[in-house]
């Protein structure tokens, strides 16, 4: 059983927590849509207002490519957290400053308390600043290194690249 925690206006409109038996994030979203008729419409309307949602399985953030990936049996929580859509790093910094300012002024926003808002804003600000300094090279970048030792096809394994894992039978 996995506990899905909705934050912000989703918690206000629907429920704060629901426990369901699911094996992926996609199944969790389908369960929310089945239990709450206006859930998908609410997500769409929030996106039109510039509010996106971050999905965390345990402490790991999940993107759209991992929606159908199985959830580990050791994980028992999925959190759906509202985030203000921004323009990458600069958007995170601006959004973080705005949320931090609102939180420190004692104003709640999107159903969050002022303390939560200040902490979220501070985290966004620090995340934006740290991403300015720590650019990572794309693992898909083409590297053409000629080898005089091997005459066969070029090796596709390099630092930072994806490595397939075969499950045990």
């Amino acid at each position: 059983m996995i506990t899905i925690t909705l934050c912000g206006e989703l918690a206000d409109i629907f429920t704060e927590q629901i426990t369901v038996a699911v094996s992926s994030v996609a199944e969790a979203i389908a369960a929310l849509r089945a239990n709450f008729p206006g859930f998908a419409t609410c997500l769409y309307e929030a996106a039109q207002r510039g509010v996106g949602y971050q999905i965390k399985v345990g402490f790991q953030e999940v993107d759209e490519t991992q929606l159908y990936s199985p959830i580990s049996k050791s994980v028992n929580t999925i959190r759906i957290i509202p985030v203000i859509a921004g323009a990458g790093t600069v958007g995170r910094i601006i959004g973080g400053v705005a949320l931090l300012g609102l939180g420190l002024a004692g104003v709640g926003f999107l159903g969050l308390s002022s303390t939560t808002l200040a902490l979220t804003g501070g985290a966004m600000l620090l995340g934006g600043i740290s991403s300015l300094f720590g650019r990572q090279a794309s693992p898909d970048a083409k590297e053409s290194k000629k080898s005089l030792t091997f005459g066969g096809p070029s090796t596709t394994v390099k630092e930072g690249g994806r490595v397939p894992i075969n499950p045990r039978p």
Side-chain angles (χ1 to χ4, degrees), residues 54-75:
Q54 176 185 50
I55 300 174
K56 287 192 173 185
V57 177
F59 294 107
Q60 180 71 33
E61 184 178 345
V62 175
D63 63 5
E64 49 282 337
T65 63
Q66 300 168 324
L67 292 178
Y68 294 96
S69 299
I71 297 173
S72 171
K73 297 204 184 290
S74 63
V75 173

Side-chain angles (χ1 to χ4, degrees), residues 79-90:
R79 289 179 291 156
I80 302 177
I81 306 162
V83 291
I84 297 174
T89 301
V90 176

Side-chain angles (χ1 to χ4, degrees), residues 6-136:
L6 301 176
C7 299
E9 76 176 337
L10 292 179
D12 294 339
I13 296 171
F14 303 108
T15 186
E16 193 170 312
Q17 289 186 340
I18 183 171
T19 304
V20 292
V22 294
S23 61
S24 70
V25 174
E27 285 183 13
I29 300 295
L32 288 169
R33 290 181 66 196
N35 285 302
F36 307 109
F39 186 75
T41 305
C42 185
L43 291 179
Y44 177 75
E45 290 172 355
Q48 296 300 315
R49 292 190 317 264
V51 177
Y53 287 91
Q54 176 185 50
I55 300 174
K56 287 192 173 185
V57 177
F59 294 107
Q60 180 71 33
E61 184 178 345
V62 175
D63 63 5
E64 49 282 337
T65 63
Q66 300 168 324
L67 292 178
Y68 294 96
S69 299
I71 297 173
S72 171
K73 297 204 184 290
S74 63
V75 173
N76 57 3
T77 60
I78 295 175
R79 289 179 291 156
I80 302 177
I81 306 162
V83 291
I84 297 174
T89 301
V90 176
R92 271 191 251 160
I93 293 173
I94 293 170
V97 169
L99 290 178
L100 184 61
L102 285 173
L104 293 176
V107 177
F109 182 66
L110 292 175
L112 299 172
S113 70
S114 61
T115 305
T116 305
L117 204 58
L119 291 173
T120 304
M124 280 179 66
L125 177 63
L126 291 175
I129 291 171
S130 67
S131 65
L132 282 175
F133 295 112
R135 298 269 183 210
Q136 294 182 353

